């Protein structure tokens, strides 16, 4: 509406011209809501309650007589209560734009008085103390002005005489020395770390090169094996074929050897054995015949000698029976020769070689000698009988 006024959240509306006032002021203060202002009879004005900033730059002299330029910043605003608004309205309503300048001058005066009672060391080391004392010193004045100080900070202290620089020189030198030492240590550590990093880098590069070379070698080996796989497979197949052919040839050679053994060698050995056996049998037969003939001749010679002796004795004694026996003995060589021819034409197998032949000849001769002994004994017995009876007698029995 045309006559309805509403202040902003950071403003206080001052309505003057009313007869009745709720506050102890000559005007009504409205904040946070609107109000009806009667035209002609009432007048409304706005007072800013926003935050303001006052920059203070002041030349101060310390307790030691040293001139310092102090730069500070004060943050303030009009109080939110009715009394503060009323006090600020009476003093700054027409000059709200100059409020920072006016408040800054007040803070500057208190700052000079506070710095004048302190030394440079205290001001430098205790800036919060300086700001707090300035706030406390100006509190009563700010309250009368309706101002609330939110913050006061000492930003900078300039020393035109160089006192602060000289004061800080030993510490600065010590700090610089420590800084140089620290820098040297830092540089040393950095160099050591750089060397370690370089060594690690070189080691890593070496390991990488070795691994790369190993990978390359493995790749080359795989490629070589892959390239040789075909020839190797062909060579292996050829080798297996050759081995199979060799085994087949060996088996064929073995079979041929076995066939030769069965068809040639064993029959040849058997034939050789047969021929050798036949030769040995012929040799033994010839030896048997020779030995038998010789033995027969010796026996016959002995028998002839014995017969001649007996014959001589018989003739001497006139024994006719002995003469007949002598004739039989004379026929013994013919009998032995016939037996020898019969043995030579016989197919005999002598098992024990020469000993067997000797045994056979001895058997034949023995049989002849047995016949001779029988005849001899018979002849002698007959002679004795004839001599006893006075009649000699001789009887020869021919079984044929």
């Amino acid at each position: 509406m045309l006559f309805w006024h509403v202040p902003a959240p950071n403003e206080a509306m001052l309505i003057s011209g009313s007869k009745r006032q709720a506050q102890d002021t000559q005007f009504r203060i409205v904040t946070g809501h609107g109000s009806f202002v009667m035209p002609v009879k009432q007048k409304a004005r706005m007072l800013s309650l926003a935050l303001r900033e006052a920059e203070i730059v002041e030349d101060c002299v310390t307790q030691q007589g040293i001139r310092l330029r102090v730069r500070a910043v004060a943050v303030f605003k009009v109080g939110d209560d009715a009394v503060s608004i009323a006090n600020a309205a009476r003093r700054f309503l027409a000059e709200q734009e100059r409020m920072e300048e006016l408040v800054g001058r007040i803070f500057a005066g208190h700052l000079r008085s506070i710095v004048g009672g302190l030394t440079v060391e205290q001001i430098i080391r205790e800036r919060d103390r300086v700001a707090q004392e300035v706030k406390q010193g100006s509190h009563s004045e700010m309250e009368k002005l309706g101002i609330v100080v939110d913050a006061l900070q000492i930003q900078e202290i300039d020393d035109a005489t160089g006192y602060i620089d000289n004061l800080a020189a030993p510490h600065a030198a010590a700090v610089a020395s420590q800084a140089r030492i620290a820098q040297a240590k830092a540089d040393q550590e950095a160099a050591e770390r750089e060397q370690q990093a370089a060594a690690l880098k070189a080691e890593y590069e070496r390991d990488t090169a070795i691994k790369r070379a190993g990978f390359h070698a493995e790749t080359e080996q795989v490629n070589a094996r892959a390239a040789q796989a075909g020839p190797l497979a062909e060579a292996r197949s050829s080798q297996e074929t050759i081995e199979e052919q060799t085994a087949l040839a060996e088996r064929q050679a073995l079979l041929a050897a076995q066939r030769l053994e069965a068809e040639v060698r064993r029959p040849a050995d058997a034939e050789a054995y047969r021929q050798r056996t036949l030769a040995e049998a012929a040799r033994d037969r010839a030896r048997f015949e020779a030995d038998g003939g010789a033995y027969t001749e010796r026996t016959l010679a002995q028998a002839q000698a014995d017969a001649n002796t007996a014959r001589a004795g018989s003739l001497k004694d006139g024994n006719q029976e002995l003469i007949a026996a002598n004739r039989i003995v004379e026929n013994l060589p013919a009998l032995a020769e016939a037996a020898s021819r019969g043995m030579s034409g016989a197919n005999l197998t002598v098992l024990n070689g020469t000993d067997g032949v000797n045994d056979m000849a001895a058997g034949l001769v023995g049989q002849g000698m047995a016949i001779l002994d029988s005849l001899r004994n018979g002849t002698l017995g007959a002679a004795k009988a004839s001599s006893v009876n006075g009649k000699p007698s001789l009887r020869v029995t021919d079984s044929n």
Side-chain angles (χ1 to χ4, degrees), residues 102-164:
L102 297 174
V103 172
R105 290 178 181 178
I106 297 172
F107 279 119
H110 287 284
L111 181 61
R112 283 196 302 270
S113 63
I114 298 300
V115 170
L118 299 174
T119 62
V120 177
E121 290 81 356
Q122 291 176 341
I123 295 170
I124 294 172
R125 296 172 183 173
E126 301 176 2
R127 292 189 180 188
D128 293 339
R129 173 187 172 185
V130 175
Q132 190 65 27
E133 289 183 358
V134 171
K135 286 175 62 177
Q136 291 177 358
S138 60
H139 176 69
S140 59
E141 296 179 358
M142 293 296 113
E143 186 177 2
K144 292 178 182 179
L145 296 175
I147 301 299
V148 176
V149 180
D150 290 340
L152 177 63
Q153 296 292 333
I154 305 298
Q155 290 185 333
E156 187 179 354
I157 299 174
D158 294 333
D159 177 19
T161 62
Y163 180 85
I164 296 176

Side-chain angles (χ1 to χ4, degrees), residues 85-355:
I85 293 173
N87 292 335
R90 292 189 184 99
R91 292 170 175 81
F92 303 110
L93 184 59
E95 298 180 352
Q96 295 186 44
E97 294 79 4
R98 298 183 58 202
M99 187 180 295
E100 291 86 353
E101 181 182 355
L102 297 174
V103 172
R105 290 178 181 178
I106 297 172
F107 279 119
H110 287 284
L111 181 61
R112 283 196 302 270
S113 63
I114 298 300
V115 170
L118 299 174
T119 62
V120 177
E121 290 81 356
Q122 291 176 341
I123 295 170
I124 294 172
R125 296 172 183 173
E126 301 176 2
R127 292 189 180 188
D128 293 339
R129 173 187 172 185
V130 175
Q132 190 65 27
E133 289 183 358
V134 171
K135 286 175 62 177
Q136 291 177 358
S138 60
H139 176 69
S140 59
E141 296 179 358
M142 293 296 113
E143 186 177 2
K144 292 178 182 179
L145 296 175
I147 301 299
V148 176
V149 180
D150 290 340
L152 177 63
Q153 296 292 333
I154 305 298
Q155 290 185 333
E156 187 179 354
I157 299 174
D158 294 333
D159 177 19
T161 62
Y163 180 85
I164 296 176
D165 295 336
N166 295 330
L167 186 65
H171 301 286
V175 171
S177 176
Q178 295 177 359
R180 288 193 298 271
I181 294 173
Q183 184 65 35
K185 290 182 179 179
D187 294 339
Q188 182 179 359
E189 292 178 357
E192 292 177 356
R193 291 181 180 178
E194 289 178 357
Q195 293 177 357
Q196 293 176 359
L200 292 176
K201 182 179 179 181
E203 184 178 359
Y204 175 77
E205 291 178 353
R206 182 200 63 189
D207 295 340
T208 303
I210 293 173
K211 291 182 179 179
R212 186 180 293 110
F215 293 154
H216 183 70
E218 291 179 0
T219 304
E220 292 296 331
Q221 291 178 0
V222 171
N223 292 332
R225 285 197 295 270
Q228 295 176 358
L232 286 176
E234 184 177 357
R236 191 177 295 110
S237 178
S238 300
Q239 182 179 1
E240 292 177 355
T241 303
I242 294 172
E243 291 178 356
E244 291 295 332
Q245 293 177 354
T246 303
L248 179 60
E250 291 178 354
R251 289 195 295 270
Q252 291 177 351
L254 180 60
L255 182 59
Q258 292 177 355
R259 186 181 294 110
L260 178 64
E261 179 74 19
E263 295 178 356
V264 178
R265 185 177 299 170
R266 289 183 181 179
D269 292 342
E271 181 65 22
Y273 180 75
R274 190 178 69 82
Q275 295 296 333
R276 186 170 57 253
T277 304
L278 293 175
E280 291 178 356
R283 181 195 61 191
D284 294 338
R285 186 183 305 112
R287 186 181 299 171
F288 170 74
E289 291 176 355
D291 292 341
Y295 189 77
T296 301
E297 290 178 358
R298 287 195 304 270
T299 304
L300 293 176
Q302 183 66 34
Q304 184 68 34
D306 293 339
N308 291 330
T309 302
R311 183 185 305 166
S314 298
L315 292 176
K316 182 180 180 181
D317 295 333
N319 191 351
Q320 296 299 323
E321 293 179 355
L322 291 175
I323 294 171
N326 187 24
R327 290 179 179 178
I328 295 172
V329 171
E330 289 176 354
N331 292 323
L332 284 176
L335 294 174
E337 184 179 0
S340 177
R341 286 195 303 269
M343 291 179 63
S344 61
N347 188 7
L348 298 177
T349 300
V350 181
L351 298 177
N352 52 353
T354 305
D355 294 335

Side-chain angles (χ1 to χ4, degrees), residues 52-66:
R52 297 174 182 270
E53 179 181 344
E55 184 176 357
I56 305 166
V57 179
E58 191 69 22
D59 293 332
C60 305
V61 179
T62 64
Q63 184 181 7
Q64 300 163 321
I66 298 173

